[in-house]
Amino acid sequence: MSGNQDVVMKENWWSRLTRSKYFVYVLISPIFLVLLAYVIYPFYQTFLQSVMTEEGATFENYQRFFGLTSTANLEALWTSIYISVISVITCAIVGVTMAFLMERYEFPGRRILSVLILVPMALPPLVGVLSFTFLYGESGIIPRFFQALFNLDSVPFALKGVVGVIVVHTFTMYTYFYLTAAAAIKGLDPSLEEAATSLGSGRIRIWLKVILPMLTPSLVASSLLVFMISMASYTAPLMFGVDRTMTMQIYLSRTNGNLDMAATQSTILSIVSISFLILMRWYQGRRNFQNQSKGIGVHRTELRSQLAKYLSMAFSFIGVIILMLPILVLVLISFSVDGEWTVQIIPTSYTLQHYIDLFTDERTWRPIWNSLQMSFVATAGNILFGVAAAYALVRMRFKGKVFLDILIMVPWALPGTVVAVNLIAAFSEPNVFSFNQVLIGTFWILPLAYFVRHLPLIFRSTSAALMQMDESVEEAARSLGANWWYTFRRVVMPMAFSGILAGTLLALVQGIGEFVASILIYSTSTMPLSVAIFQKMYAFQFGTACAYGVLQIVLIILVLFISQKLTDGKAGAAI
Amino acid sequence: MKNVRLETVSKMFGSAVGVENVDIDVKPGEFFTFLGPSGCGKTTTLRMIAGFYFPTKGKIYFDNRDVTTLQPNKRNIGMVFQNYALFPHMTVFENIAFGLEVRKMSKAVIKEKVERAQKLVHLEKYGARKINELSGGQQQRVALARALVIEPDILLLDEPLSNLDAKLREETRVEIKRLQVELGVTTIYVTHDQTEAMTMSDRIMVMKEGVVQQIGTPQEIYNKPTNHFVASFIGESNVLNGEVVEIIENSVKVKLEDHIFVQGSIDQSANGKNLTIGEKIKCSIRPEAVFEGPGVNELHGTIQLVEFTGVSINYVVKVGSNIMKVMIINKGNRILNRGDSITLHVPVNGIYLIGE
């Protein structure tokens, strides 16, 4: 009898709790806790490091940063900003022009070009820069080819310094402009132009008054994005030897043991990145799609004159070459014998050995295996967090949604270098969030870094899938007697599955290729693939480095292909 | 078959009132309809019965069990949603079987029950189809089968016909009513369509802005509306302002505008015996309760608009400063023209006296 009453009491307590309108905060607290532990707390630790000296809290480091006694930091900030601004401009010009040509004109070679145009997305940052130095660097294939062709004493041109960085940025980031501009142009009703023409406008006026204003939202959004990514860029400055950028300064301060300055630089760069994130969100929130027409028939203008046809064919041909060369050169060098390629235009002797080594030689295989393991661990964490956070944000009602949403996106906006510095600041000593362990120097610090950096990927793809799903479907399952967990398992998960999988695959390959944070926090026992590539490069083992690179590219292309199939071509926006 | 009872149920959304003080007692096996314009609180009330909202105030009972804050999955209800809410990743069979699987029935039993349910809604051959391979009407029937196969104590239908085209709507309406009568399940039906409410229901609750206006059988609602809103929301009605000038036993004399007098009856009054002389009231006169020619409550007017529908001749007539709609059944009478004078009369039981 009393036992029975106990059950009743317990049920009342539980149902009272679950019925309370504050219960939702109990449910979302783990999400906040994870963000607190691995995003906010490390950031706070870095900030603390930047202001704390033996005498207490001062802003001495910030005064030194902005002071005129040593201008290295200000120079770095300035260089980062102007590289970013120029990158935005060049990416915009290339991306938008390409989008217009592809969407508005029909010419020989358009189809192949429209596929290859997205190739830069398949290049991991490090591998991309690598192939550019092989191609256009001081001892690159193209400059040497021209040197030999014209019998010159030295190479006629070479990609280096700031120009090199900007060229690489343009090549790897114009796709952001291309994708958004192409989508916007596709949605541009040709009848608007026709209407303008019928009202007596000339071409230039139509461009200025009709087309550009309609494209503005997508151009602004892409500009902010490219600016943010350029500010965070690390690999290109590293490989082209541009020391005076923010990310490089952080790296150098750390390797010189100037830890509180590195913390200061990190904090300042974080503030810039986060401001841009908030600016982007605010802009996306207020941007409205002005196009009201349905069922738009885009018509491509066919080129009629012979001259234009030849020109366009030449253009397509050059385009295809430029787009394919980075991958082709990697493949080529991956077959070359290490150490044999010195002053020749292209490698002279070839072997299959590197590919055999990848999977048979213990020392070559090790970094691949490390990266696979670490990326799997990180991705598993990302799935749990991403799906839970997406469900909470899409389906539950609570205060602080916008805050949570921004907080999840912060790791994506933060440069990898900063993420690494933050994690070092937080986890080089035991604390609650690391379960009282020192994580630096262990296996766990890299998966943690990957987890933090790729936090938003699965979250975004899952919430996109959930948003398309009508809430009444869940209610129907509940009305048929299914409890919350059964509903989640049998209805929500299967319906969101393709979204979850697309994000998962993406997080997985990005983890395998992650370089920027890894280079600062890896330990020799768990060297990841990207760091191995970097070291092979410096050891002149180009063949092995490129074989690693090709392996990564194959993985990425596979993943892009699968997610394309899974999401009916909507995956592009997620990257 | 269960009885559903709501006791002074209210629901607030923040400080906005969703519904206020709903008191209803749905009898076992009854077909009960919530009727009202959008935003009147009918769906909110239904969702509280389903368990998707919990009332801010008041109690809900199934038979005599308090279910006010019971989770929806523990209520044994069948619900059909406006957009059907079918599971797109499952076949027709799997959709219908979902509730049975939750109840952990054996495969053989599930197969038998699902097949019976498919037969009930005429979808025997569609078991293996995906949801997106069905037409709107077929999806509707899958939703119905899925709700009925679990043998629910209460069937809840949330505007189930609003996504169908006119012809299919009529067919499905008959079908739902047939199933309900056959199975005898207590049914609560939400709609904004008065024809659906009138033709299907045993009783109707008319709501407006979260407040119950009237509960009654379709005849009561139509013939004896309690107020102006009900009178004009259900069917058409001429609602004329008036003042009680004389009460002799059951007979009430009402003065309309422009010194027109009509004779009503206390039996035909929302307030019954409480009428007092000098009271301002309204007279509800249905267009079909007005007849052409001389008689009691004789009115004279001018025709402003003529509509011929085939079944009837509809006039808009100006009587003094009152505008009245009149519907004359077409028995081959002569059709008058705009501007013609017309004499009308209204039998005493064609006038219903309502309050403000």
Side-chain angles (χ1 to χ4, degrees):
Chain A
M1 193 60 206
S2 68
N4 227 339
Q5 216 147 22
D6 264 9
V7 172
V8 172
M9 286 290 290
K10 216 168 132 190
E11 256 178 22
N12 280 346
W13 172 82
W14 176 246
S15 63
R16 251 209 317 272
L17 179 69
T18 52
R19 245 186 298 134
S20 157
K21 61 179 168 183
Y22 300 108
F23 182 61
V24 63
Y25 295 97
V26 178
L27 290 177
I28 57 167
S29 57
I31 297 168
F32 270 105
L33 196 66
V34 168
L35 289 169
L36 175 70
Y38 304 116
V39 178
I40 299 174
Y41 174 75
F43 182 67
Y44 171 71
Q45 281 296 317
T46 302
F47 175 71
L48 221 55
Q49 201 174 28
S50 73
V51 293
M52 291 310 271
T53 57
E54 275 134 26
E55 296 99 61
T58 68
F59 281 96
E60 204 180 291
N61 283 316
Y62 291 87
Q63 278 162 7
R64 262 204 292 151
F65 186 99
F66 290 107
L68 295 175
T69 42
S70 159
T71 56
N73 283 316
L74 279 179
E75 258 176 64
L77 186 59
W78 165 242
T79 314
S80 279
I81 289 175
Y82 94 68
I83 287 181
S84 302
V85 169
I86 294 177
S87 299
V88 168
I89 295 169
T90 52
C91 287
I93 292 170
V94 176
V96 176
T97 313
M98 293 303 269
F100 251 96
L101 292 178
M102 303 307 252
E103 292 301 329
R104 278 305 171 80
Y105 293 96
E106 184 60 65
F107 51 86
R110 190 188 67 83
R111 277 174 184 281
I112 177 134
L113 208 54
S114 71
V115 175
L116 292 179
I117 206 154
L118 293 177
V119 157
M121 288 171 74
L123 284 178
L126 177 67
V127 177
V129 181
L130 209 64
S131 64
F132 260 72
T133 49
F134 282 135
L135 272 174
Y136 309 108
E138 265 172 300
S139 49
I141 293 173
I142 306 285
R144 276 190 188 163
F145 171 75
F146 280 105
Q147 185 188 3
L149 191 67
F150 299 113
N151 242 333
L152 304 171
D153 294 334
S154 61
V155 288
F157 65 89
L159 221 46
K160 60 185 171 196
V162 173
V163 176
V165 174
I166 290 170
V167 168
V168 169
H169 280 183
T170 309
F171 184 79
T172 51
M173 289 189 275
Y174 80 84
T175 47
Y176 296 113
F177 274 97
Y178 173 76
L179 284 174
T180 51
I185 292 166
K186 242 183 234 159
L188 234 171
D189 190 342
S191 64
L192 285 177
E193 282 170 66
E194 286 158 8
T197 315
S198 76
L199 293 169
S201 297
R203 288 264 8 127
I204 294 171
R205 183 182 264 283
I206 289 176
W207 257 90
L208 291 179
K209 296 281 177 187
V210 181
I211 297 177
L212 271 179
M214 300 277 287
L215 289 185
T216 312
S218 62
L219 293 186
V220 173
S222 320
S223 300
L224 291 170
L225 184 63
V226 169
F227 187 90
M228 208 165 77
I229 298 175
S230 296
M231 283 297 284
S233 166
Y234 167 77
T235 324
L238 177 72
M239 300 297 279
F240 287 110
V242 182
D243 287 350
R244 291 269 195 272
T245 69
M246 285 301 285
T247 47
M248 282 302 287
Q249 285 294 305
I250 296 171
Y251 175 70
L252 292 173
S253 299
R254 272 216 68 84
T255 38
N256 295 338
N258 199 349
L259 297 188
D260 46 346
M261 199 57 205
T264 309
Q265 290 155 341
S266 282
T267 309
I268 289 169
L269 188 54
S270 308
I271 289 167
V272 174
S273 302
I274 294 172
S275 326
F276 264 81
L277 175 70
I278 292 171
L279 194 66
M280 257 171 82
R281 281 204 43 117
W282 170 79
Y283 188 78
Q284 276 168 348
R286 65 183 280 279
R287 108 191 203 198
N288 52 339
F289 289 96
Q290 297 134 321
N291 225 328
Q292 277 137 17
S293 33
K294 289 177 187 168
I296 302 146
V298 176
H299 47 76
R300 292 195 169 89
T301 313
E302 249 182 84
L303 294 178
R304 298 213 182 278
S305 84
Q306 276 307 316
L307 180 70
K309 265 191 187 160
Y310 285 126
L311 277 177
S312 70
M313 262 162 85
F315 164 79
S316 305
F317 182 72
I318 294 170
V320 168
I321 298 280
I322 290 177
L323 287 166
M324 282 310 287
L325 265 183
I327 289 181
L328 292 179
V329 78
L330 283 174
V331 174
L332 179 81
I333 298 172
S334 71
F335 288 109
S336 73
V337 176
D338 282 345
E340 297 272 304
W341 184 32
T342 48
V343 294
Q344 302 84 352
I345 296 172
I346 55 168
T348 44
S349 48
Y350 294 92
T351 169
L352 270 175
Q353 193 55 42
H354 305 307
Y355 285 99
I356 299 169
D357 282 351
L358 281 188
F359 302 103
T360 54
D361 179 54
E362 161 64 21
R363 281 181 42 226
T364 322
W365 164 246
R366 194 81 233 164
I368 301 176
W369 179 235
N370 284 342
S371 275
L372 281 175
Q373 274 180 311
M374 294 189 292
S375 191
F376 265 106
V377 172
T379 306
N382 281 143
I383 295 174
L384 274 180
F385 179 88
V387 173
Y391 189 84
L393 267 173
V394 176
R395 282 285 183 269
M396 294 179 181
R397 286 170 200 89
F398 55 91
K399 290 209 170 81
K401 265 189 164 184
V402 177
F403 177 66
L404 181 62
D405 195 23
I406 289 181
L407 211 54
I408 294 174
M409 294 310 288
V410 161
W412 171 75
L414 286 184
T417 319
V418 171
V419 170
V421 168
N422 289 354
L423 289 179
I424 295 168
F427 297 114
S428 39
E429 271 164 40
N431 62 45
V432 194
F433 299 131
S434 62
F435 307 101
N436 246 349
Q437 304 291 317
V438 176
L439 294 185
I440 299 299
T442 69
F443 167 83
W444 294 101
I445 190 69
L446 278 180
L448 183 60
Y450 300 166
F451 170 77
V452 172
R453 286 209 73 187
H454 306 143
L455 208 53
L457 289 179
I458 298 176
F459 163 75
R460 278 178 64 161
S461 65
T462 308
S463 46
L466 283 178
M467 269 184 238
Q468 286 175 357
M469 196 179 131
D470 199 309
E471 206 174 343
S472 65
V473 175
E474 279 170 68
E475 288 176 351
R478 302 274 282 146
S479 77
L480 291 167
N483 58 28
W484 183 85
W485 175 238
Y486 192 89
T487 307
F488 188 78
R489 213 159 40 86
R490 286 287 310 274
V491 177
V492 179
M493 282 292 272
M495 285 176 73
F497 180 73
S498 62
I500 298 172
L501 190 63
T504 302
L505 290 171
L506 204 61
L508 208 58
V509 288
Q510 299 231 335
I512 291 170
E514 211 287 337
F515 172 67
V516 182
S518 305
I519 187 80
L520 277 166
I521 47 178
Y522 80 96
S523 66
T524 41
S525 58
T526 59
M527 185 195 292
L529 183 55
S530 53
V531 176
I533 295 178
F534 185 66
Q535 292 192 344
K536 296 279 180 215
M537 264 299 285
Y538 274 80
F540 293 102
Q541 294 175 320
F542 298 148
T544 318
C546 288
Y548 279 145
V550 172
L551 181 72
Q552 272 192 40
I553 291 173
V554 169
L555 275 180
I556 291 173
I557 290 175
L558 213 64
V559 161
L560 285 180
F561 181 74
I562 295 173
S563 14
Q564 201 83 8
K565 283 271 170 276
L566 282 178
T567 56
D568 302 323
K570 275 171 259 152
I575 309 158
Chain B
M1 267 234 262
K2 274 200 175 157
N3 144 285
V4 178
R5 196 150 47 84
L6 273 67
E7 274 179 11
T8 60
V9 166
S10 298
K11 175 73 185 172
M12 310 282 290
F13 294 104
S15 57
V17 179
V19 290
E20 221 177 331
N21 287 326
V22 176
D23 266 305
I24 45 174
D25 194 347
V26 182
K27 299 185 200 89
E30 192 175 18
F31 195 115
F32 196 97
T33 299
F34 300 167
L35 176 66
S38 59
C40 73
K42 55 191 193 297
T43 297
T44 306
T45 314
L46 188 81
R47 288 173 67 83
M48 285 193 282
I49 297 171
F52 297 128
Y53 294 151
F54 295 147
T56 317
K57 212 186 87 211
K59 294 270 178 218
I60 299 173
Y61 297 95
F62 288 179
D63 281 352
N64 281 319
R65 181 171 172 224
D66 182 354
V67 297
T68 312
T69 58
L70 195 69
Q71 288 294 328
N73 51 322
K74 306 224 172 91
R75 297 192 182 205
N76 199 33
I77 48 168
M79 183 152 173
V80 175
F81 293 79
Q82 189 170 5
N83 61 355
Y84 318 139
L86 297 171
F87 308 126
H89 58 295
M90 297 182 191
T91 62
V92 170
F93 184 95
E94 287 165 342
N95 262 279
I96 301 175
F98 187 89
L100 301 173
E101 279 167 22
V102 172
R103 285 164 177 74
K104 301 209 163 56
M105 293 188 181
S106 75
K107 281 240 164 66
V109 174
I110 290 177
K111 188 161 185 292
E112 189 217 312
K113 285 191 183 237
V114 171
E115 276 169 3
R116 194 152 15 107
Q118 277 175 261
K119 207 170 196 171
L120 204 60
V121 296
H122 313 301
L123 285 172
E124 293 96 326
K125 299 212 170 65
Y126 291 85
R129 291 272 189 107
K130 281 270 182 203
I131 296 306
N132 57 13
E133 297 166 352
L134 299 181
S135 70
Q138 288 167 334
Q139 292 187 9
Q140 220 285 336
R141 282 183 276 152
V142 176
L144 203 55
R146 185 179 68 176
L148 287 172
V149 77
I150 57 171
E151 291 163 25
D153 295 328
I154 298 140
L155 179 64
L156 305 176
L157 302 145
D158 185 6
E159 307 221 13
L161 304 182
S162 60
N163 283 341
L164 300 177
D165 61 51
K167 194 169 169 296
L168 210 51
R169 203 176 305 162
E170 208 169 305
E171 256 177 60
T172 318
R173 195 176 77 202
V174 176
E175 191 70 19
I176 291 178
K177 185 62 188 168
R178 175 184 71 84
L179 285 170
Q180 196 267 338
V181 172
E182 236 167 71
L183 303 171
V185 59
T186 311
T187 301
I188 297 176
Y189 188 97
V190 163
T191 184
H192 62 260
D193 183 316
Q194 45 138 332
T195 319
E196 280 173 31
M198 297 296 281
T199 51
M200 298 168 91
S201 318
D202 295 321
R203 278 196 297 159
I204 299 171
M205 169 168 81
V206 184
M207 297 181 81
K208 179 200 170 196
E209 287 164 8
V211 180
V212 177
Q213 306 292 311
Q214 186 172 6
I215 299 174
T217 62
Q219 298 93 304
E220 283 167 355
I221 299 268
Y222 191 80
N223 293 334
K224 302 186 168 184
T226 49
N227 59 28
H228 188 173
F229 174 77
V230 178
S232 50
F233 189 74
I234 316 280
E236 267 191 301
S237 189
N238 300 296
V239 179
L240 308 173
N241 294 318
E243 186 187 331
V244 179
V245 288
E246 195 180 275
I247 304 177
I248 302 168
E249 291 185 8
N250 268 359
S251 168
V252 182
K253 197 173 183 186
V254 178
K255 188 179 106 184
L256 302 178
E257 278 164 43
D258 297 316
H259 292 277
I260 298 165
F261 292 90
V262 290
Q263 203 77 34
S265 156
I266 282 188
D267 301 331
Q268 289 281 102
S269 158
N271 285 345
K273 298 210 157 34
N274 299 332
L275 283 177
T276 51
I277 288 172
E279 190 181 340
K280 301 264 183 220
I281 56 160
K282 286 183 196 299
C283 296
S284 164
I285 304 170
R286 299 281 182 194
E288 69 273 18
V290 183
F291 296 94
E292 205 177 347
V296 271
N297 293 328
E298 202 170 293
L299 305 166
H300 301 277
T302 324
I303 294 174
Q304 294 206 309
L305 190 77
V306 184
E307 250 179 17
F308 179 71
T309 68
V311 180
S312 65
I313 307 148
N314 300 341
Y315 295 120
V316 173
V317 180
K318 192 165 184 213
V319 180
S321 59
N322 304 297
I323 303 285
M324 287 183 74
K325 288 179 189 155
V326 177
M327 187 173 107
I328 311 287
I329 297 296
N330 177 20
K331 293 173 190 156
N333 348 18
R334 190 171 73 88
I335 300 172
L336 299 171
N337 293 316
R338 181 183 146 82
D340 289 356
S341 308
I342 186 169
T343 303
L344 303 165
H345 72 275
V346 190
V348 173
N349 63 6
I351 297 176
Y352 195 74
L353 306 176
I354 55 183
E356 274 305 303

